[in-house]
Amino acid sequence: MSEIVTRFAPSPTGLLHLGNVRTALLNWLYARKHGGRFLLRFEDTDRERSEKQFIQAICDDLGWLGLDWDGDILFQSDQAAQHRQALDRLAEQEMAYRCFCTEGQLALDRKLAASRGLPPRYSGRCRSLASEESASRAEHEAHVWRLPVHRDDGEVIVPDVLRGDVHFACHDLDDPVIVRSDGSFTFLLPNAVDDAIDSVTHVMRGDDHLSNSAYQVWLLQHLDMAVPAYLHHGLLLGRDGAKLSKRSGSHSAAELRQEGLMPMALMQAMVRLGHPNISEDALSLDALMQHFDARHVSTTAIRWSDDDMWRWHTRLLHNLPAEALLAQVREHLPEADESFALLVQGNMERAEDVLAYRRMLDAGTALSEEAESVANDAGNTFYRTALDAWNGMARNENDWKIWVQAIKEGTGRTGKGLFMPLRVALTGALHGPEMSGIVGFLGEGGVRKRLEDMIQRIS
Ligand code: GLU
């Protein structure tokens, strides 16, 4: 079999959103898994809506996600001459025709069709214009170009790896517009012709493109160009069950990056949609690739969950090696060191959670209202007893156990009533790592300082 080539073909008219991330990731995985190539092609022929800043932003986001592409970035606009040539070839074979119908006429046709209970298809009015008439009218009349796909018989077959062959009766298809009245191409022709030029073998994209694929197969066949295999995946749904959009809870990759999400968390949640059997231990992109099987890609719509993504974020955070962990922790607490980061690693869901433990680094840290009330409830005498016990102790490895026993005896407090005020004094937080670890981290002087601060604070 020849080399597999996939591509991600965004239009640079906006930021990379979750739906695009999924399409990019699936195409990347498919290519990498099969030792093929993954191309990045910007479909920038919509001059009005395409913006340079989005090209840069999309490249940055793909880089952030670790989705590398092969070769140079491709731009659809570079192939304008090929698109024209393709149109000419179709026109020569009468496989594309000019349509002079005005907007008003088309609207009327649609109304008429609706009143008869028919779908709002093109009436076919200009389909059989003689070529001389068409050419002479074109000199002074606005027109679009259409493909004569609609017919009473015949069918177009879209070869889909996930669904098998999808049959479209020509009778159910329309005569789509491929060139607008301003001379610009619609999506259909450039996208399909570029896939052929770029030797794309597999097109993985959302099933909202399924009927586009029918027109594109028709086009490629009439141009004698290779038809790729398609993999139409189901769309992502938002929390309200509607197609994932900004309104239904989608995010841009840039937004998530800003929120501190680890890109692998996004990848994990994405790949696992429809892949429930991927081992929980597959933590790297490489490992995910080993498990990836295109046959599991869902052809029905599937619900996206931010919660799953953030759960993965936490899981990955808990597994980060010290150096990477420290880098994240330091973004919020620049004074943190590795031993602090490792101590609290298992007790944070996001890196900013370390702020709750700031008191371990700085005894004078302000307390939250809740922590303050726990401390006040324990009161000065409690902390004085704790300090005296700490000062009077012979230092050894069982510091924590001996200390806590002494406080228990001195204050009569047990359980939560004993541990919580100590935790608050030492860390500032109500929950966190094991107390023995905290005591070890703070050391003799550190514990003393925090108790003294608390006594002063309460008095
Ligand atoms: N530019 C198209 C889009 O963003 C590409 C679709 C495709 O993958 O073929 O929807």
Side-chain angles (χ1 to χ4, degrees):
M1 193 174 168
S2 61
E3 185 186 40
I4 281 182
V5 181
T6 68
R7 55 32 170 206
F8 177 51
S11 310
T13 54
L15 292 171
L16 201 67
H17 268 254
L18 290 176
N20 318 115
V21 168
R22 178 159 180 240
T23 303
L25 171 65
L26 291 175
N27 280 286
W28 182 90
L29 281 169
Y30 200 75
R32 295 284 174 260
K33 172 105 191 178
H34 295 97
R37 283 185 303 135
F38 171 68
L39 310 177
L40 173 60
R41 181 175 76 224
F42 282 103
E43 306 217 312
D44 58 344
T45 39
D46 185 343
R47 296 239 170 241
E48 248 167 56
R49 293 176 55 227
S50 296
E51 289 184 37
K52 273 222 169 72
Q53 52 157 336
F54 292 129
I55 293 177
Q56 190 55 52
I58 290 170
C59 290
D60 289 350
D61 288 341
L62 291 174
W64 175 63
L65 292 167
L67 302 179
D68 56 336
W69 56 89
D70 295 304
D72 293 337
I73 299 174
L74 306 168
F75 291 92
Q76 187 154 72
S77 52
D78 289 345
Q79 303 296 347
Q82 304 268 12
H83 305 149
R84 275 278 136 201
Q85 242 175 49
L87 174 65
D88 292 346
R89 278 181 64 190
L90 291 167
E92 267 164 34
Q93 308 166 61
E94 298 189 350
M95 285 302 152
Y97 67 89
R98 292 189 193 88
C99 168
F100 298 92
C101 296
T102 61
E103 271 311 314
Q105 242 164 356
L106 294 173
L108 207 64
D109 288 347
R110 281 195 291 269
K111 245 191 191 162
L112 213 65
S115 72
R116 290 190 195 141
L118 297 171
R121 251 183 244 119
Y122 177 58
S123 68
R125 189 178 293 109
C126 298
R127 197 182 293 144
S128 315
L129 286 181
S131 51
E132 302 79 44
E133 182 187 347
S134 167
S136 81
R137 280 178 69 177
E139 285 173 21
H140 53 272
E141 261 185 75
H143 59 274
V144 300
W145 283 90
R146 290 182 185 270
L147 300 176
V149 179
H150 181 82
R151 273 189 2 212
D152 285 338
D153 56 354
E155 61 176 11
V156 179
I157 298 173
V158 176
D160 190 307
V161 174
L162 304 177
R163 298 158 197 257
D165 285 349
V166 184
H167 295 249
F168 288 84
C170 292
H171 175 74
D172 292 327
L173 294 170
D174 206 350
D175 280 7
V177 172
I178 54 166
V179 180
R180 303 184 188 90
S181 56
D182 64 2
S184 67
F185 280 91
T186 62
F187 154 83
L188 289 174
L189 183 143
N191 176 266
V193 167
D194 285 4
D195 282 342
I197 295 174
D198 301 335
S199 307
V200 170
T201 58
H202 291 75
V203 170
M204 209 178 311
R205 61 188 182 185
D207 62 5
D208 50 341
H209 281 294
L210 195 50
S211 59
N212 284 338
S213 299
Y215 295 117
Q216 292 184 314
V217 167
W218 187 99
L219 245 166
L220 290 169
Q221 284 172 341
H222 285 91
L223 287 167
D224 272 331
M225 289 178 163
V227 174
Y230 293 89
L231 296 91
H232 290 99
H233 56 76
L235 297 179
L236 288 183
L237 300 179
R239 49 179 174 253
D240 55 0
K243 184 183 161 191
L244 192 64
S245 65
K246 257 192 202 155
R247 191 177 306 164
S248 65
S250 182
H251 317 278
S252 65
E255 224 167 70
L256 294 172
R257 175 151 40 147
Q258 196 126 49
E259 282 180 44
L261 180 80
M262 281 191 265
M264 256 323 277
L266 177 50
M267 299 286 102
Q268 288 284 348
M270 278 291 175
V271 178
R272 286 166 193 276
L273 290 175
H275 264 86
N277 52 337
I278 296 184
S279 146
E280 286 284 301
D281 300 328
L283 293 184
S284 67
L285 213 46
D286 255 3
L288 285 179
M289 195 169 67
Q290 300 308 322
H291 287 85
F292 172 74
D293 182 341
R295 284 171 303 187
H296 290 282
V297 174
S298 170
T299 52
T300 53
I302 200 159
R303 209 176 274 253
W304 170 253
S305 158
D306 274 0
D307 292 345
D308 274 350
M309 174 180 72
W310 284 108
R311 256 197 299 282
W312 272 104
H313 177 85
T314 300
R315 183 101 212 265
L316 295 167
L317 199 60
H318 291 176
N319 280 284
L320 274 189
E323 204 175 316
L325 175 73
L326 184 59
Q328 286 213 30
V329 166
R330 280 201 168 145
E331 277 185 31
H332 305 278
L333 277 178
E335 65 271 38
D337 63 9
E338 198 174 289
S339 58
F340 170 82
L342 289 171
L343 182 62
V344 298
Q345 183 169 26
N347 297 92
M348 50 188 185
E349 290 183 2
R350 303 193 189 182
E352 63 261 38
D353 295 345
V354 294
L355 286 171
Y357 310 117
R358 181 174 226 149
R359 199 170 155 76
M360 279 198 256
L361 300 176
D362 171 9
T365 302
L367 295 177
S368 70
E369 228 174 274
E370 252 184 312
E372 189 94 51
S373 107
V374 167
N376 285 332
D377 176 67
N380 230 322
T381 340
F382 173 84
Y383 286 116
R384 275 188 195 287
T385 311
L387 179 61
D388 289 345
W390 184 254
N391 285 336
M393 250 165 54
R395 315 250 76 96
N396 67 42
E397 277 183 9
N398 289 324
D399 280 357
W400 162 245
K401 275 197 180 148
I402 298 167
W403 184 39
V404 88
Q405 187 57 34
I407 306 171
K408 198 171 171 179
E409 283 163 16
T411 63
R413 282 186 169 244
T414 54
K416 260 184 145 187
L418 171 64
F419 294 106
M420 286 296 242
L422 287 177
R423 185 176 279 290
V424 163
L426 301 191
T427 70
L430 298 166
H431 308 279
E434 294 247 359
M435 288 295 283
S436 55
I438 295 165
V439 167
F441 173 78
L442 291 172
E444 187 188 344
V447 171
R448 182 175 303 125
K449 189 145 182 260
R450 276 147 194 84
L451 292 171
E452 285 170 355
D453 176 82
M454 203 50 113
I455 291 165
Q456 213 169 36
R457 201 180 273 252
I458 297 176
S459 57

